[in-house]
Amino acid sequence: MEVEEEIMNKGVKETMDWKPTREENLITKLPDHLLLNIISFLPIKDAINTSLLSKKWRFLWTLTPNLDFDQRLIIPQNPSFSESRKLFANFIDRALLLYQGSSIQRLRIWFDFDPDLFESHIDSWIRFEIRRNVIELDLDLSGDMRDPEFSYTTPYFLNEASLIRGSVRVLKVCFGGLYPPPYYRFPSITTVHLKQYALMDHTIPDLFTFCPQLENLVLDSVFGEMLHLKICSAKLKTLSIMNYERDGEITSVDILAPNLVSFSCINYIADEYTLKDVSSLEEAVVLFPQQDDKFFPHWSKIIKFLGHVRSLKVQNLWGMQHPQQNGECSEKICPSKFRYLELVTGLSEMELLGIARILRLSPNLEIMVLQMVVKTDDNVSQEIYTTDFLEKLLTGSPICLKKLKITSFMATDNELELLKYLLKYGLTLEKIILVPSKTGLASVPPQHFAERFQELQAFPRSSQSAEILLF
């Protein structure tokens, strides 16, 4: 029995008993291009099953512009680990053979890859990509680490020649490698997303040579021999580096990108960070694994380059009382041009001091989001601050905010005192949005929440137009 028939048989009986309603008949009467658009949003298994609805639908799926093959959604769980791989590989082979479209917008494949058994299959899928002018190629070959039979294998190395002849603009690869010869060029590629990818020090500089039009780059959980990440590009517009740490070895990040607009550094831990000529940068995200003092040196080395950005999401470490770092104290790296700031923060004295510094040194700040850190350790007690203490701590911090949003809001005493202070001195405040914590709601009685909200609504405020909303 052929693989796609084997997978679809479960739905055949239900389909044979199906009788279309008036609305379903109207859908069938839609033009083919609209039906194809509908099918393109379906998982491939469901898209193929539409061929059983009527003669009109029989071959429509073979023209869909998006093909999404996910082993976890297509193959039932009962076959053995190795058997499910074979079923899935054969399913893709058969589906691509039946496909009749001339071009594909997106081809995505999630596959538990084994190089000893399935490398030739993937090579044939890449050749299919060339023939069908795929715009976005997304290969996730990492497998499911939760499966008891999972084992790490050698990553798949892309056939570079196929990318040269193809029309791929967006390339996403998880668990792979790419080491093309120096004379190769991939002129169509503008976006590259590499996850769990084998890299060396020269790989990324070479990548910009191979892809002269590269504008968007994501590096997530990369491995290999790369210790020094060097990025030099006049074309690059967005950059994300995530989830990297090498113990016992000196590592660095060096970025020269005059047209970079968006930059994210999430859990990418290096000894040195240098951002040269990032004058076009408008938004940035800087987050480390924990709200922890030990990450302050890494945090401060990045933040000192970001004072000119308009939008920043970052952990609130401005309150750290550290000695001078490279001749600069933490207060001097506080930005002045922010219009939008999202802080991952709590309400310890150090974090309140950080908020005070932000308000004092960011006169252009209009929108602030406080993403509250919810303490999970029952042994850690939160000190309760009085209004007088907050006023003394925050005094001299002008509040130019127009909008304030607090997520993971739990209506604690300290949260209320901070909000009252902002209401009292926020002359330009227009809106406060409170988003309750999903974990906190279980421990906070609804009546208590309602009482605290009413208390805030009744509190006098400097800005008569300021409204408080609870979501």
Side-chain angles (χ1 to χ4, degrees):
M1 182 180 293
E2 293 181 344
V3 178
E4 71 275 8
E5 293 175 341
E6 197 174 319
I7 294 172
M8 291 190 296
N9 270 344
K10 292 185 177 180
V12 170
K13 184 179 185 302
E14 294 177 3
T15 305
M16 291 176 65
D17 294 338
W18 170 78
K19 295 187 183 301
T21 64
R22 180 176 178 275
E23 290 78 8
E24 288 163 336
N25 276 327
L26 289 175
I27 292 176
T28 301
K29 291 178 181 178
L30 289 173
D32 284 357
H33 72 276
L34 291 180
L35 294 177
L36 279 173
N37 191 48
I38 294 171
I39 292 175
S40 69
F41 290 100
L42 297 176
I44 189 63
K45 183 178 175 181
D46 294 333
I48 292 176
N49 279 342
T50 62
S51 64
L52 303 173
L53 297 177
S54 68
K55 289 183 179 180
K56 175 167 182 162
W57 290 82
R58 186 174 180 183
F59 298 110
L60 274 177
W61 76 268
T62 67
L63 299 170
T64 179
N66 296 325
L67 292 175
D68 190 338
F69 298 96
D70 192 320
Q71 181 180 341
R72 298 163 295 185
L73 301 178
I74 294 174
I75 302 300
Q77 297 299 316
N78 52 307
S80 67
F81 190 65
S82 58
E83 184 63 22
S84 67
R85 286 172 166 177
K86 292 177 183 178
L87 283 173
F88 182 66
N90 291 334
F91 174 82
I92 295 180
D93 289 343
R94 183 64 174 165
L96 297 184
L97 184 63
L98 294 172
Y99 188 80
Q100 299 178 24
S102 60
S103 63
I104 296 178
Q105 180 67 31
R106 181 172 184 257
L107 172 62
R108 175 183 176 270
I109 298 174
W110 189 100
F111 183 38
D112 198 346
F113 174 64
D114 184 333
D116 296 328
L117 299 175
F118 301 105
E119 188 163 348
S120 61
H121 285 268
I122 298 181
D123 288 341
S124 71
W125 303 339
I126 298 295
R127 288 193 294 272
F128 169 86
E129 166 263 318
I130 299 170
R131 295 192 301 271
R132 305 296 179 168
N133 301 310
V134 173
I135 301 300
E136 179 178 336
L137 178 61
D138 186 345
L139 292 177
D140 187 338
L141 308 175
S142 58
D144 189 350
M145 291 184 288
R146 296 169 299 179
D147 194 293
E149 295 186 54
F150 173 84
S151 62
Y152 284 100
T153 60
T154 304
Y156 175 76
F157 287 85
L158 281 172
N159 182 334
E160 298 88 358
S162 67
L163 294 176
I164 295 172
R165 295 194 297 269
S167 57
V168 173
R169 296 179 190 171
V170 178
L171 176 64
K172 299 180 180 180
V173 183
C174 180
F175 199 60
L178 175 65
Y179 301 118
Y183 54 84
Y184 277 19
R185 294 292 183 272
F186 312 130
S188 64
I189 295 179
T190 60
T191 299
V192 173
H193 186 152
L194 305 178
K195 184 176 181 180
Q196 296 177 27
Y197 208 83
L199 299 178
M200 301 178 72
D201 277 347
H202 65 79
T203 307
I204 297 303
D206 288 349
L207 182 64
F208 287 100
T209 302
F210 305 144
C211 306
Q213 302 303 318
L214 187 60
E215 296 181 351
N216 311 292
L217 176 63
V218 177
L219 302 177
D220 186 357
S221 307
V222 295
F223 59 93
E225 299 301 318
M226 187 182 74
L227 299 178
H228 306 289
L229 175 61
K230 294 183 179 180
I231 293 174
C232 180
S233 170
K235 291 277 187 179
L236 195 65
K237 294 180 179 178
T238 68
L239 172 65
S240 260
I241 55 176
M242 300 182 285
N243 304 317
Y244 172 90
E245 183 174 13
R246 294 290 290 266
D247 293 331
E249 296 180 280
I250 296 176
T251 57
S252 65
V253 174
D254 194 346
I255 300 170
L256 173 59
N259 291 303
L260 190 67
V261 176
S262 176
F263 171 63
S264 294
C265 178
I266 301 174
N267 302 340
Y268 196 104
I269 301 170
D271 295 292
E272 296 294 335
Y273 304 85
T274 304
L275 279 68
K276 303 173 184 175
D277 191 3
V278 288
S279 54
S280 298
L281 196 60
E282 295 181 1
E283 59 182 33
V285 177
V286 180
L287 296 173
F288 287 99
Q290 302 170 17
Q291 194 89 344
D292 197 318
D293 181 78
K294 70 179 182 180
F295 293 111
F296 179 81
H298 306 280
W299 178 93
S300 61
K301 288 175 182 178
I302 300 177
I303 293 298
K304 69 181 181 181
F305 294 105
L306 303 178
H308 64 289
V309 302
R310 294 179 178 272
S311 173
L312 177 68
K313 179 177 181 179
V314 67
Q315 282 150 315
N316 179 15
L317 302 182
W318 268 280
M320 294 277 184
Q321 295 297 318
H322 278 256
Q324 291 190 351
Q325 304 266 344
N326 298 325
E328 294 185 83
C329 69
S330 59
E331 209 168 285
K332 287 186 179 179
I333 62 175
C334 197
S336 59
K337 294 186 179 180
F338 285 171
R339 294 189 181 277
Y340 175 94
L341 177 65
E342 185 169 348
L343 286 180
V344 179
T345 187
L347 290 179
S348 67
E349 183 173 349
M350 180 273 293
E351 289 164 315
L352 284 170
L353 182 59
I355 292 174
R357 286 180 175 175
I358 286 289
L359 294 175
R360 182 169 66 252
L361 300 174
S362 301
N364 297 310
L365 187 60
E366 296 180 352
I367 302 174
M368 184 160 68
V369 178
L370 301 181
Q371 181 181 324
M372 304 305 296
V373 177
V374 180
K375 295 185 179 295
T376 56
D377 188 348
D378 294 335
N379 297 320
V380 177
S381 59
Q382 179 88 36
E383 184 178 355
I384 305 300
Y385 301 120
T386 63
T387 303
D388 291 341
F389 174 82
L390 284 177
E391 293 208 3
K392 181 179 179 181
L393 188 68
L394 298 173
T395 186
S397 305
I399 301 172
C400 302
L401 290 176
K402 292 183 178 180
K403 295 180 182 179
L404 172 71
K405 181 178 180 180
I406 299 182
T407 62
S408 298
F409 180 70
M410 293 184 65
T412 63
D413 291 336
N414 286 348
E415 287 173 322
L416 251 66
E417 291 300 328
L418 177 61
L419 286 170
K420 288 178 180 178
Y421 177 87
L422 295 174
L423 286 170
K424 183 176 180 180
Y425 294 102
L427 296 174
T428 59
L429 199 59
E430 297 173 359
K431 187 177 295 184
I432 293 178
I433 299 173
L434 306 175
V435 182
S437 166
K438 293 181 180 179
T439 56
L441 281 177
S443 58
V444 180
Q447 183 178 354
H448 174 78
F449 234 97
E451 290 173 355
R452 288 299 178 93
F453 184 67
Q454 290 175 0
E455 183 180 344
L456 283 175
Q457 291 283 30
F459 190 80
R461 57 202 73 176
S462 296
S463 172
Q464 296 304 312
S465 62
E467 57 178 339
I468 305 173
L469 306 175
L470 183 65
F471 281 78

